[in-house]
Amino acid sequence: TEKFFGMNYWEYQIYASGASVDKFQQNMPETSTWNCSIVRLGGNHANTSRNKDSDRDWYVTAIQNIKSMNLTPLVQLPINLTATQVGQWMDYFNVTKGLGIIYWGIGNEPDPSSNWDAWYAGTYFHDGRNYSGFKAQFRLIAKAIKAKDANSIICGPDYRHWWGTATDGPFGKWYKDFIMGASAIATDTYNGDPIVDIFPFHFYGDANEATMISRYAILNPMIAAANALRPANQPLKIAVGEYNTDVTVGPETFVAGQYMAVMAKQALANGCVYFAPWSVEEGNNFRMIESNGTLRSTAQHMKMLSQNKRANYMSGQINNNFTNNIMEFGMQDANGYTIMVMNKSATDYSFSVKF
């Protein structure tokens, strides 16, 4: 996909004191060289704190920065908007300001970090909604977007959790219900047009590549089942809306960049439309660039891959991975190949690449 390598527009927020910070803008001289394609303007702050009509210019500033880099903005609409407000916000961005937004996001980690089974069952509320309440609000916003512009590309719900089995856990419960349940969002339409186009999820962790592969093996059949009920020319696609390692590995470590590269590899291998790490810079630990401008390993790996991106995934194999220490990521198109080989250990190894 031509939009595969992406970023999240963060840190960008207004604090309770009234102080405003835009660390994404501060890092644009560096990140504009990365050759990414899409930037997600979303997250919890936008979803729950920048949701008043008076906040629309806050979005406009970021969108204009994204477009100044010749990148595609993906604008997450606040979850509490009414159907009338959705149309008004879209008109403000695209008519009043002439920004030409096509990609719209709905939802940011609606599934809580704890009590998620109670949330799904309806007895626990996160950001003011249980699962059924979130699903109803997603449907309302999505249909309002399609009513305003049938050519819009709707992305969501950006679930927090990415694990489970086909019958239990997030995959077996709220993934399955959203994608292929009796009243699934993924198979619902507005005037014959599906109301969600891309299904992004988030993942923060250090899962090895075999675990990543096994999770896609559970998710992909659900997507296929939904697509069997959708117009053939409008298949549901998937994406990674946020990714970083967790605190066990440490986002500041060198191996965190290698894990990011492997997650990007499996995302591309499984047809993800975009892969957007979290985040360029923030006050907390989940950042790719230090406050002094130093690039962490995650930024270095992301930059190398995006600057040398190719249109398609290139499958390959390692004859000896030395107990999973050697990893690879290949891409190819009509103009050539890009192959990244990574060594997680402190031991030097010799290797050769064969076609």
Side-chain angles (χ1 to χ4, degrees):
T1 168
E2 74 281 359
K3 298 191 184 304
F4 182 73
F5 290 103
M7 293 181 278
N8 274 281
Y9 200 104
W10 191 254
E11 184 180 2
Y12 181 52
Q13 66 174 318
I14 300 175
Y15 293 99
S17 64
S20 179
V21 63
D22 189 346
K23 293 182 179 179
F24 186 94
Q25 183 182 52
Q26 295 171 15
N27 286 287
M28 282 171 54
E30 166 62 33
T31 56
S32 62
T33 71
W34 290 14
N35 198 30
C36 291
S37 299
I38 192 167
V39 179
R40 173 178 173 257
L41 174 55
N44 186 60
H45 182 72
N47 202 41
T48 59
S49 299
R50 303 269 69 84
N51 53 14
K52 300 182 292 294
D53 289 348
S54 57
D55 290 320
R56 292 181 298 192
D57 283 332
W58 181 85
Y59 289 83
V60 169
T61 298
I63 295 167
Q64 289 173 335
N65 283 337
I66 295 168
K67 292 177 74 69
S68 75
M69 300 168 70
N70 293 317
L71 305 181
T72 299
L74 191 173
V75 179
Q76 174 192 299
L77 291 172
I79 194 63
N80 291 324
L81 294 186
T82 66
T84 298
Q85 284 179 305
V86 169
Q88 291 170 344
W89 280 52
M90 292 176 68
D91 278 342
Y92 188 74
F93 294 143
N94 286 346
V95 179
T96 304
K97 296 297 182 178
L99 295 172
I101 306 301
I102 297 175
Y103 287 80
W104 302 97
I106 308 173
N108 179 74
E109 299 185 347
D111 43 341
S113 58
S114 61
N115 298 307
W116 50 77
D117 284 333
W119 170 79
Y120 179 67
T123 58
Y124 182 83
F125 292 75
H126 177 59
D127 287 337
R129 290 180 175 85
N130 56 19
Y131 171 70
S132 63
F134 168 76
K135 186 177 170 184
Q137 184 67 6
F138 187 105
R139 196 185 308 270
L140 180 148
I141 294 176
K143 291 193 174 185
I145 292 173
K146 290 294 185 179
K148 175 60 64 173
D149 181 6
N151 294 317
S152 293
I153 298 173
I154 297 178
C155 309
D158 284 81
Y159 281 147
R160 176 195 308 267
H161 295 281
W162 186 61
W163 57 274
T165 69
T167 57
D168 199 11
F171 285 161
K173 292 181 177 178
W174 54 94
Y175 272 72
K176 180 177 287 185
D177 184 78
F178 190 96
I179 296 170
M180 51 184 291
S183 60
I185 297 291
T187 54
D188 197 0
T189 61
Y190 179 84
N191 286 341
D193 191 28
I195 62 170
V196 61
D197 302 284
I198 300 173
F199 181 94
F201 56 86
H202 299 178
F203 178 52
Y204 289 79
D206 58 343
N208 60 39
E209 190 168 11
T211 299
M212 296 177 187
I213 292 171
S214 68
R215 292 179 182 181
Y216 278 111
I218 297 171
L219 174 59
N220 288 342
M222 298 184 199
I223 302 297
N227 285 336
L229 302 174
R230 291 167 61 103
N233 64 341
Q234 293 179 291
L236 179 65
K237 299 179 180 181
I238 59 175
V240 180
E242 293 182 19
Y243 172 78
N244 210 319
T245 56
D246 60 15
V247 294
T248 303
V249 172
E252 76 284 357
T253 62
F254 184 81
V255 73
Q258 297 178 324
Y259 277 120
M260 182 170 288
V262 172
M263 184 65 181
K265 168 191 173 181
Q266 285 303 320
L268 186 60
N270 285 277
C272 286
V273 177
Y274 58 85
F275 173 80
W278 187 274
S279 65
V280 172
E281 185 186 344
E282 68 173 0
N284 295 320
N285 200 28
F286 295 98
R287 59 181 181 266
M288 295 190 288
I289 301 179
E290 301 285 5
S291 58
N292 63 3
T294 300
L295 303 188
R296 285 183 169 181
S297 173
T298 46
Q300 296 283 11
H301 282 78
M302 184 72 176
K303 181 178 180 179
M304 282 190 290
L305 288 168
S306 190
Q307 286 183 338
N308 297 281
K309 64 185 175 184
R310 304 291 179 178
N312 304 298
Y313 171 68
M314 180 182 180
S315 62
Q317 63 181 23
I318 301 175
N319 290 335
N320 184 356
N321 64 18
F322 296 96
T323 319
N324 295 318
N325 281 322
I326 305 300
M327 303 177 292
E328 52 77 27
F329 180 8
M331 297 177 281
Q332 65 180 345
D333 59 23
N335 297 315
Y337 308 93
T338 292
I339 300 174
M340 176 180 281
V341 180
M342 296 162 283
N343 179 8
K344 287 199 301 180
S345 77
T347 303
D348 293 333
Y349 298 104
S350 298
F351 66 90
S352 61
V353 177
K354 298 180 180 180
F355 294 89

